[in-house]
Amino acid sequence: MSVLYIVATPIGNLEDISIRALRVLGEVDFILCEDTRVTAKLLAHYNIKTPAISYHQHSSEAKVNEIVTILAGGKNLALVSDAGTPGISDPGGKLIQAVLEKLDGEAQIESVPGPSAVTAALSISGIPTDKFIFMGFPPHKKGRQTFIKKIVQSEFPVVVYESKHRIIKFLEELEKISLATPDLAKPDNNQYPISNKISNDKLQISKKTNLTSVVVVRELSKMHETVYRGSLESIIKKITADKNDQKGEFVVIVGK
Ligand code: SAM
């Protein structure tokens, strides 16, 4: 039976790949890549010569059918994204669904686990993570306020991904909304205002008491890996002050 392997690849440091992942990437007939140019660097580093096929979030139905036909023909495939675990804020789900629907029982889907920015960030955050909620990327426009409110009111720590272009905007909005929204997970804070029209007095009080504990992680496993801890206010100040702190990839963890 043919196999579609879902293979995790490094999120920065090329050494962060499992021995099994390297073997599978070397043995399959084709590697489905989010961006063939990005994966080419990984394959070249490990001298893997397997041919690549492009498969990304905008791939057409025809492309999905083409991949399903390859699997139906008995070939083995590996799906990789640009970094980390496919399917985690990355393409994968649509293809897996199609394989399950169209090749039920005729192809196997196997995980080759490895890095993901969400688990790597949580692991060094120092925030209790026996339970957490992963919310992926905040929406750019519609639903953004509601998304951030849900973070503030969550009972459990929340992890989000954010790009360098929007990290400061996101942290500022998080601060603003956390000041204006009662944290349902902290009953003591419910005495503070719900509306956006907070008087200066109340703002002072809530600023002292309702700041959520936040850890921002940048460039995990890369040369400039940095962890920002402390109050939201101080993290925003630090990242705003130096352009170098605004470069790279970010994970934000809002603790409870
Ligand atoms: N599938 C990937 C995973 O398993 O983590 C996530 C892909 S998502 C398109 C890319 C986002 O993941 C980035 O914008 C950033 O928020 C986060 N990310 C990926 N690599 C990272 C790194 N080395 N350091 C910090 N965040 C990272």
Coordinates of all heavy atoms in Angstrom, one line a residue, residues 11-12 81 83-86 88-90 115-118 137 161-163 217-222 249-251, ligand 1:
I11 N 12.7 24.3 11.9 CA 12.1 25.7 11.9 C 13.2 26.7 11.8 O 13.0 27.9 12.0 CB 11.1 26.0 13.1 CG1 11.8 25.7 14.4 CG2 9.9 25.1 13.0 CD1 11.1 26.2 15.6
G12 N 14.4 26.3 11.6 CA 15.5 27.2 11.6 C 16.8 26.5 11.4 O 17.4 26.4 10.3
S81 N 6.4 21.2 4.6 CA 6.1 22.7 4.4 C 7.4 23.4 4.5 O 8.5 22.8 4.6 CB 5.1 23.2 5.5 OG 5.6 23.0 6.8
A83 N 8.7 25.1 6.8 CA 9.3 24.9 8.1 C 8.4 24.3 9.1 O 7.2 24.6 9.0 CB 9.8 26.3 8.7
G84 N 8.8 23.4 9.9 CA 8.0 22.9 11.0 C 7.1 21.7 10.5 O 7.4 21.0 9.5
T85 N 6.0 21.6 11.1 CA 5.1 20.5 10.9 C 4.0 20.9 9.9 O 3.2 21.9 10.2 CB 4.4 20.1 12.2 OG1 5.5 19.7 13.1 CG2 3.5 18.9 12.0
P86 N 3.8 20.2 8.8 CA 2.8 20.5 7.8 C 1.4 20.4 8.6 O 1.2 19.6 9.5 CB 2.9 19.4 6.8 CG 4.3 18.9 6.9 CD 4.7 19.1 8.3
I88 N 0.2 22.6 10.6 CA 0.1 23.5 11.7 C 0.3 24.9 11.1 O 1.4 25.3 10.8 CB 1.2 23.2 12.7 CG1 1.1 21.8 13.2 CG2 1.0 24.2 13.9 CD1 -0.2 21.3 13.8
S89 N -0.8 25.6 10.8 CA -0.8 26.9 10.1 C -0.1 26.8 8.8 O 0.6 27.7 8.3 CB -0.2 28.0 11.0 OG -1.0 28.3 12.1
D90 N -0.2 25.7 8.2 CA 0.5 25.3 6.9 C -0.4 24.4 6.1 O -1.3 23.7 6.7 CB 1.8 24.6 7.2 CG 3.0 25.6 7.2 OD1 2.8 26.7 6.6 OD2 4.1 25.2 7.6
P115 N 9.9 19.2 14.6 CA 9.8 20.5 15.1 C 8.5 21.2 14.7 O 7.9 20.9 13.7 CB 10.9 21.3 14.5 CG 11.8 20.3 13.9 CD 11.1 19.1 13.7
S116 N 8.0 22.1 15.6 CA 6.9 23.0 15.3 C 7.2 24.2 16.2 O 7.6 24.1 17.4 CB 5.6 22.4 15.7 OG 4.6 23.2 15.2
A117 N 7.0 25.4 15.7 CA 7.3 26.6 16.5 C 6.4 26.7 17.7 O 6.8 27.2 18.7 CB 7.1 27.9 15.6
V118 N 5.2 26.2 17.6 CA 4.3 26.2 18.8 C 4.8 25.5 20.0 O 4.9 26.0 21.1 CB 2.8 25.8 18.4 CG1 2.7 24.5 17.8 CG2 1.9 25.8 19.6
F137 N -2.5 32.3 13.3 CA -2.3 33.7 13.0 C -3.6 34.5 13.3 O -4.7 34.1 12.9 CB -2.0 33.9 11.5 CG -0.6 33.5 11.1 CD1 -0.4 32.2 10.6 CD2 0.5 34.3 11.3 CE1 0.9 31.8 10.2 CE2 1.7 33.9 11.0 CZ 2.0 32.7 10.4
Y161 N 0.8 32.8 16.3 CA 1.9 33.1 15.4 C 1.7 34.5 14.9 O 0.5 35.0 14.6 CB 1.8 32.1 14.2 CG 2.3 30.7 14.4 CD1 2.1 29.7 13.5 CD2 3.0 30.4 15.6 CE1 2.5 28.4 13.7 CE2 3.5 29.1 15.8 CZ 3.2 28.1 14.9 OH 3.7 26.9 15.1
E162 N 2.8 35.3 14.7 CA 2.6 36.6 14.1 C 3.9 36.9 13.3 O 5.0 36.4 13.5 CB 2.4 37.6 15.2 CG 2.0 39.0 14.7 CD 0.8 39.0 13.7 OE1 1.0 38.6 12.6 OE2 -0.3 39.5 14.1
S163 N 3.6 37.7 12.2 CA 4.8 38.0 11.3 C 5.5 39.3 11.8 O 4.9 40.1 12.6 CB 4.2 38.3 9.9 OG 3.8 39.6 9.8
V217 N 8.6 35.0 21.6 CA 9.8 34.3 21.2 C 10.1 34.6 19.8 O 9.2 34.6 18.9 CB 9.6 32.8 21.4 CG1 10.8 32.0 21.1 CG2 9.1 32.5 22.8
R218 N 11.3 34.9 19.5 CA 11.7 35.3 18.1 C 12.8 34.4 17.6 O 13.7 34.1 18.3 CB 12.2 36.8 18.1 CG 12.6 37.4 16.8 CD 12.9 38.9 16.9 NE 14.2 39.1 17.5 CZ 15.3 39.2 16.9 NH1 15.3 39.2 15.6 NH2 16.4 39.4 17.5
E219 N 12.7 34.0 16.3 CA 13.8 33.3 15.6 C 14.3 32.1 16.4 O 15.5 31.8 16.6 CB 15.0 34.3 15.4 CG 14.7 35.4 14.4 CD 14.6 34.9 13.0 OE1 13.5 34.4 12.6 OE2 15.6 35.0 12.3
L220 N 13.3 31.2 16.8 CA 13.7 30.0 17.5 C 14.7 29.1 16.7 O 14.5 29.0 15.5 CB 12.4 29.2 17.6 CG 11.5 29.5 18.8 CD1 10.0 29.1 18.5 CD2 12.0 28.9 20.1
S221 N 15.6 28.7 17.4 CA 16.7 27.8 16.8 C 17.6 28.4 15.8 O 18.3 27.7 15.1 CB 16.1 26.5 16.2 OG 15.5 26.7 15.0
K222 N 17.5 29.7 15.7 CA 18.3 30.5 14.7 C 19.3 31.3 15.5 O 19.3 31.4 16.7 CB 17.5 31.4 13.8 CG 16.5 30.6 13.0 CD 15.7 31.5 12.0 CE 14.5 30.9 11.5 NZ 13.7 31.8 10.7
E249 N 10.9 35.8 12.8 CA 9.6 35.1 13.0 C 9.3 35.1 14.5 O 10.2 34.9 15.3 CB 9.6 33.7 12.4 CG 10.0 33.7 10.9 CD 9.8 32.3 10.4 OE1 10.7 31.5 10.5 OE2 8.7 32.0 9.8
F250 N 8.0 35.2 14.8 CA 7.6 35.4 16.2 C 6.5 34.4 16.6 O 5.6 34.1 15.8 CB 7.0 36.8 16.4 CG 8.0 37.9 16.2 CD1 8.4 38.4 15.0 CD2 8.7 38.4 17.4 CE1 9.3 39.5 14.9 CE2 9.6 39.5 17.2 CZ 9.9 40.0 16.0
V251 N 6.6 34.0 17.8 CA 5.5 33.3 18.5 C 5.2 34.1 19.8 O 6.1 34.5 20.5 CB 5.9 31.9 18.9 CG1 4.7 31.2 19.5 CG2 6.3 31.1 17.7
Ligands
SAM1 N1 4.2 24.7 10.3 C1 4.9 25.6 11.1 C2 5.1 25.0 12.5 O1 4.9 23.8 12.6 O2 5.5 25.8 13.4 C3 4.3 27.0 11.1 C4 4.2 27.7 9.8 S1 3.5 29.3 9.8 C5 3.2 29.5 8.1 C6 4.9 30.3 10.1 C7 4.9 31.0 11.4 O3 5.4 30.1 12.4 C8 5.8 32.2 11.5 O4 5.1 33.4 11.0 C9 6.0 32.3 13.0 O5 4.9 32.8 13.7 C10 6.1 30.8 13.4 N2 7.5 30.3 13.2 C11 8.0 29.5 12.3 N3 9.4 29.3 12.5 C12 9.7 30.1 13.6 C13 10.9 30.3 14.3 N4 12.1 29.8 13.9 N5 10.9 31.2 15.4 C14 9.7 31.8 15.7 N6 8.5 31.5 15.1 C15 8.5 30.7 14.1

